[in-house]
Amino acid sequence: MDWGMRNRLAGIIKPDTGRCVMLAIDHGYFQGPTTGLERPGEAVAPLLGYADALMLTRGVLRNVIDPGRRIPIVLRVSGGTSILRDDLSDEDITVSIEDAIRVNASALALSVFVGGPHEKETLTNLAKLCDEGQRYGIPVLAVTAVGKEMSRDARYLRLACRIAAELGAQIVKTYYCEGFEKVVGGCPVPIVIAGGKKIEERDALKLAYVAVSAGAVGVDMGRNIFQSKWPAQMIQAVRSIVHDGKTDAQAWEEFQHATGRS
Ligand code: R5P
C-alpha cells in the first residue's frame, strides 16, 4: 500500500490502538436537516475533540467546519437521492476527486446497495472510486447500505462487506448483527459499525462493545451520539470502549457519573 494511503488510514484508525471512533454527520445528504443536525456546526463543536475522524459532505464541511481544525475528514461522495423516493439505491458519485483533494479528504465514502435495484451501478461506482483513490493515495470507505426490503442478518452483511472489500474498499462500514464474527471473518479489510437509529444510551454502549468484541475496529456513529441529550458524554463513553478496552458496563458507569446521575 502506498505511503500516502497508509498515512491517511493511520489518521483515521489510530495506530496505537488499531481502533477508530468516527463521528458521522453526513445524514443530510439524503435526509435533509436530520434531527440533531439542524445546525451541524453547533452540534459537532463540543464533539470534535473526541472524534478520530469526521464523516460528512463537502457542503457541511465547507460551511461549518473550521479549516484550522486538524481532524481527518471522511468525505461522503455518493448521493443523488432523497427520502422522498422509495428507492434510495439510485446513487451516483457526487464529488470529483479534485474537489475531494482540495478539501484534503482522508477518505472517500460511498454507499453500496447489494441486492438493491441499483446494485450494479453502486458497485461499479465503488470500483471507479477505488481506482481514483488508488491514483491519489486516498482510501475508500464503502457503506453497506440496506434498503427497506433488505435484511441485516450475518449472511447478507458478510456478502455485502466481502464484495465491497473485493472491489477495493480499504474500510467497510456496516451494521452490527447476530453472528457478527462471521461478517468480520469474511472481510479482509477493517470494519466499522454504524450506530443506526437512536436507542437508549445504555443500549448504544452495549452495541459498541459487542461490535468491537466481535472484531470491528470501531464505530462510525451518528444519531446515537448527536441525538443524545448528553452527546459529549456519550462520545467519551464510546471512546472508553473502543480505545480504552472498557466494557459497556464500565462505560455506562462513567457516563452516568459524567452526566451527574450517579
Ligand atoms: C447513512 O447513510 C450515513 O452514512 C450515516 O452516517 C450512517 O448510517 C451512520 O450514522 P448512524 O450512526 O446515525 O446510523
Side-chain angles (χ1 to χ4, degrees):
M1 197 185 283
D2 173 75
W3 192 94
M5 186 167 292
R6 283 169 48 202
N7 179 256
R8 288 185 177 90
L9 278 172
I12 298 168
I13 301 171
K14 296 299 169 191
D16 49 342
T17 60
R19 296 267 178 88
C20 169
V21 174
M22 195 182 301
L23 177 64
I25 60 159
D26 61 320
H27 306 62
Y29 90 93
F30 72 102
Q31 292 182 5
T34 308
T35 304
L37 288 181
E38 294 87 349
R39 296 174 183 276
E42 289 168 30
V44 299
L47 309 179
L48 289 181
Y50 306 108
D52 298 318
L54 186 62
M55 180 182 185
L56 77 178
T57 61
R58 62 179 169 185
V60 168
L61 176 66
R62 283 204 166 97
N63 286 296
V64 310
I65 304 295
D66 174 4
R69 185 101 208 186
R70 303 284 299 170
I71 184 162
I73 296 302
V74 177
L75 190 68
R76 164 62 69 175
V77 300
S78 72
T81 61
S82 81
I83 44 169
L84 299 182
R85 298 271 173 186
D86 284 335
D87 174 20
L88 292 174
S89 76
D90 195 10
E91 289 196 352
D92 213 333
I93 295 173
T94 52
V95 180
S96 68
I97 191 72
E98 290 81 7
D99 208 34
I101 293 167
R102 200 174 289 123
V103 298
N104 196 27
S106 291
L108 312 168
L110 170 144
S111 292
V112 293
F113 294 78
V114 173
H118 293 86
E119 174 187 83
K120 181 180 174 185
E121 291 88 341
T122 61
L123 290 176
T124 52
N125 281 340
L126 170 62
K128 285 178 202 154
L129 192 67
C130 291
D131 279 339
E132 293 286 276
Q134 288 289 353
R135 188 168 302 133
Y136 296 102
I138 306 180
V140 170
L141 179 150
V143 182
T144 66
V146 290
K148 285 170 192 155
E149 305 307 321
M150 288 180 265
S151 67
R152 292 182 182 183
D153 62 15
R155 192 174 161 175
Y156 171 78
L157 293 176
R158 108 189 266 265
L159 171 79
C161 291
R162 178 59 176 261
I163 290 172
E166 296 268 356
L167 291 178
Q170 282 78 19
I171 309 177
V172 173
K173 168 176 169 175
T174 195
Y175 292 94
Y176 179 78
C177 63
E178 205 173 306
F180 196 66
E181 293 84 357
K182 291 196 197 107
V183 178
V184 176
C187 183
V189 302
I191 290 183
V192 290
I193 61 141
K197 282 188 182 158
K198 173 77 175 68
I199 51 180
E200 291 297 320
E201 281 80 2
R202 180 71 185 83
D203 297 331
L205 294 177
K206 174 97 183 161
L207 175 69
Y209 179 71
V210 292
V212 295
S213 300
V217 300
V219 301
D220 183 12
M221 202 174 254
R223 288 163 288 182
N224 278 293
I225 293 173
F226 63 72
Q227 289 180 350
S228 170
K229 255 175 87 179
W230 305 275
Q233 291 89 342
M234 190 59 191
I235 194 170
Q236 289 176 73
V238 171
R239 277 196 83 80
S240 291
I241 292 167
V242 172
H243 283 301
D244 305 334
K246 299 280 173 68
T247 63
D248 54 306
Q250 291 168 323
W252 173 241
E253 211 175 299
E254 288 175 6
F255 176 82
Q256 285 185 298
H257 184 69
T259 54
R261 296 186 302 155
S262 73

